[in-house]
Amino acid sequence: MKTIQLPIDEKTIKTLKAGEMALLSGKLITGRDQAHLRFAGAIKKGKKLPVNIKGQTIYYVGPTPAKAGEVIGSCGPTTSRRMDAFSPLLIKKGLTTMIGKGGRSKETIAAIKKHKGIYFMTLGGAGAYLSKRVISAKVIAYPELGPEAVFELEVRDFPVITAIDSKGKNIF
Amino acid sequence: MITSKQISSAVSGLCIDANLKLRPDVVKALKDSLRKETSLKSRNLLSILLENCAIAKSEKIPLCQDTGMTVVFAEVGQDARIQGDLTTAINKGVATGYKEGFLRKSIVADPLLRKNTGTNTPAMIYYDIVPGKKLKLTVLPKGFGSENKSKLYMLNPTAGYDAVVNSILKAIKEAGPDACPPYVVGVGIGGDAAKACYLAKKALTKPVTFLSDKAHFRKLAKELLAKGNKLNIGPLGAGGKTTLLGVNILSMATHIAGLPVAVNISCHSLRSAHKNLQSS
Ligand code: SF4
């Protein structure tokens, strides 16, 4: 199985084919519905985003609270399709890598193909298992959103399957 | 007398238990499907799902980060004596369970204003008055990835058996890879629109091997299982033979002009727990 360092460079993105499994290590940011809504709102108003999304990896997750002494709680993916209203815009602004679960819209697939991005799926409903692959977590934006805040996570050997590759090939 | 304190403490325990320990019938269904699955990738994914259950249980980490909207079925014996306000006691139990169990608070007070209540309350409580002195509480934490795939079909009364099968299959196909398959499909047939949806959800509290309590609906459930497992959705959408873990159907009388069919899909992380409290 391929092991991949985050952020993924353009060359590596191009080598990944739909259906291929891989293990990711490095830093990424999280974001789900409300963060996407705010990112898109800021972009449309020409405002600066609170985090850099260029070349970034975004993971659609809202974790459970960490117990004392733990890095993070349960942290599996949420349904990606709900981000489709915002993803093409974020991809256009430089976001390259998305991690979630389930299928994507035609528009998101087209944006991935056009801008040479990639969409990974990970294990929906395996939040306890995936929590063991996260080695650090901190809130970096929108703390008032609670579980929907934007975190920076560092992951080690985080399992994914390439669901949509840079050619727009889709496993679903 | 059943006290508010007993009720709250039962509910808080059930919230935590349901979220940490996958139901034994669901674990068994996952293990059985692993034996039957032939796709290597899907076998691998199913094994990880089973490993997830083991980690959740031993390390007390919720099975899934979506610890759900707390659905509570309360069967209230009409001779039970309950001290204090039952709804308040249930909600207090939910708030305590979600805090002490480090579960995610996923409820917003208003669907448009969207401010998190911070306690995972209010719970969605369904009361049923039954004979006897017992209070039976069933907690079903329902994740919204799968709840969003719920469907209600108001079919024509003459639509018949095949239309029912096809509607339910359509709902499963529409859920596709999105709602963490393999699925357990709760189906409610008959009643009015609201009752059909209620039955579909309640069907998820039955063991995954339940099928139905009526012979003709058991046949229908079996047919759905066979057809659903040929859809090649597979574990987490990766393809294979394992799309459904179970189909449970509850039914009731309906109107001469209609045939309501409600579908409430559950992901593989079908969580519920129950407890009986007795009036002394
Ligand atoms: S659909 Fe179920 S398993 Fe998947 S994220 Fe939601 S609650 Fe968890």
Side-chain angles (χ1 to χ4, degrees):
Chain A
M1 205 183 308
K2 270 188 196 158
T3 55
I4 290 167
Q5 192 60 40
L6 296 175
I8 316 183
D9 56 52
E10 239 184 278
K11 230 175 74 201
T12 313
I13 287 182
K14 284 186 186 155
T15 64
L16 285 159
K17 303 222 159 37
E20 206 173 331
M21 293 185 93
L23 296 171
L24 309 180
S25 296
K27 286 185 177 164
L28 52 79
I29 63 166
T30 72
R32 42 174 294 155
D33 306 71
Q34 296 302 325
H36 275 76
L37 182 66
R38 291 188 185 193
F39 284 169
I43 292 170
K44 282 176 194 153
K45 284 195 197 120
K47 285 196 188 142
K48 201 169 166 279
L49 295 186
V51 295
N52 177 27
I53 60 163
K54 263 219 170 74
Q56 187 62 270
T57 306
I58 193 162
Y59 177 29
Y60 307 142
V61 61
T64 60
K67 286 185 282 184
E70 274 174 5
V71 171
I72 198 166
S74 194
C75 58
T78 194
T79 313
S80 305
R81 221 179 268 283
R82 294 197 315 270
M83 307 328 140
D84 281 337
F86 312 104
S87 296
L89 177 63
L90 298 189
I91 294 167
K92 200 172 138 202
K93 293 289 169 190
L95 179 75
T96 55
T97 315
M98 291 150 285
I99 309 173
K101 69 171 167 96
R104 307 302 307 257
S105 69
K106 280 205 300 287
E107 293 75 14
T108 299
I109 298 173
I112 289 172
K113 193 172 163 187
K114 182 165 174 205
H115 299 278
K116 299 281 163 274
I118 191 158
Y119 166 60
F120 294 116
M121 60 167 264
T122 183
L123 287 115
Y129 176 89
L130 292 172
S131 74
K132 300 284 150 196
R133 309 294 172 110
V134 177
I135 54 179
S136 77
K138 65 167 189 251
V139 174
I140 54 167
Y142 313 141
E144 67 280 9
L145 290 178
E148 294 208 73
V150 174
F151 291 72
E152 181 185 75
L153 303 184
E154 191 173 351
V155 297
R156 189 184 289 147
D157 293 334
F158 194 86
V160 294
I161 298 176
T162 306
I164 301 168
D165 65 23
S166 58
K167 295 204 174 72
K169 198 156 176 276
N170 181 2
I171 65 161
F172 300 121
Chain B
M1 180 81 85
I2 304 172
T3 65
S4 296
K5 219 171 135 197
Q6 271 176 294
I7 295 163
S8 300
S9 114
V11 169
S12 98
L14 292 171
C15 292
I16 296 174
D17 259 19
N19 272 298
L20 298 183
K21 295 180 213 146
L22 195 63
R23 277 168 32 179
D25 59 312
V26 183
V27 175
K28 184 170 181 300
L30 281 172
K31 284 185 179 158
D32 290 346
S33 62
L34 178 60
R35 267 195 295 278
K36 285 184 220 149
E37 183 57 70
T38 47
S39 145
L40 194 65
K41 190 184 280 169
S42 297
R43 286 180 56 85
N44 190 355
L45 295 173
L46 286 168
S47 328
I48 296 180
L49 295 184
L50 284 162
E51 200 180 330
N52 184 63
C53 301
I55 295 174
K57 195 169 161 186
S58 67
E59 303 200 22
K60 298 194 170 24
I61 302 170
L63 287 152
C64 179
Q65 76 292 336
D66 187 351
T67 50
M69 186 170 219
T70 317
V71 179
V72 179
F73 294 97
E75 286 176 24
V76 188
Q78 58 192 11
D79 298 321
R81 289 193 50 215
I82 293 166
Q83 171 253 325
D85 185 76
L86 178 54
T87 302
T88 306
I90 292 174
N91 278 315
K92 226 171 133 193
V94 171
T96 310
Y98 275 68
K99 180 160 182 270
E100 290 177 356
F102 290 85
L103 307 178
R104 196 180 78 185
K105 289 79 181 169
S106 311
I107 304 306
V108 291
D110 181 288
L112 281 180
L113 307 177
R114 305 208 73 84
K115 191 169 166 9
N116 200 306
T117 63
T119 56
N120 219 55
T121 62
M124 299 294 113
I125 312 173
Y126 299 94
Y127 290 110
D128 229 337
I129 308 293
V130 298
K133 283 187 171 183
K134 268 193 319 201
L135 169 63
K136 181 178 177 188
L137 296 165
T138 305
V139 169
L140 173 85
K142 187 66 166 60
F144 245 61
S146 56
E147 186 69 7
N148 279 337
K149 305 296 181 185
S150 304
K151 285 280 176 319
L152 172 67
Y153 303 99
M154 298 304 281
L155 302 180
N156 282 332
T158 51
Y161 185 93
D162 287 348
V164 173
V165 171
N166 290 336
S167 302
I168 300 166
L169 279 175
K170 190 168 154 221
I172 298 167
K173 276 188 226 160
E174 277 176 26
D178 293 356
C180 301
Y183 299 130
V184 180
V185 186
V187 181
I189 304 182
D192 58 2
K195 272 280 192 207
C197 290
Y198 162 80
L199 291 175
K201 181 158 277 170
K202 187 147 196 195
L204 295 175
T205 64
K206 305 276 182 200
V208 295
T209 49
F210 169 76
L211 299 171
S212 177
D213 46 4
K214 295 182 186 112
H216 59 303
F217 284 122
R218 274 201 292 280
K219 177 172 166 260
L220 201 150
K222 280 187 191 157
E223 183 173 337
L224 281 165
L225 270 174
K227 288 191 167 154
N229 279 325
K230 287 203 186 88
L231 293 175
N232 197 34
I233 295 172
L236 310 174
K241 291 180 183 166
T242 317
T243 296
L244 303 181
L245 296 176
V247 176
N248 285 349
I249 303 177
L250 289 175
S251 63
M252 69 182 299
T254 192
H255 190 275
I256 50 170
L259 172 45
V261 177
V263 181
N264 196 294
I265 289 185
S266 170
C267 48
H268 60 78
S269 204
L270 170 54
R271 294 150 287 176
S272 71
H274 63 86
K275 190 168 188 173
N276 288 311
L277 299 176
Q278 188 85 33
S279 187
S280 51

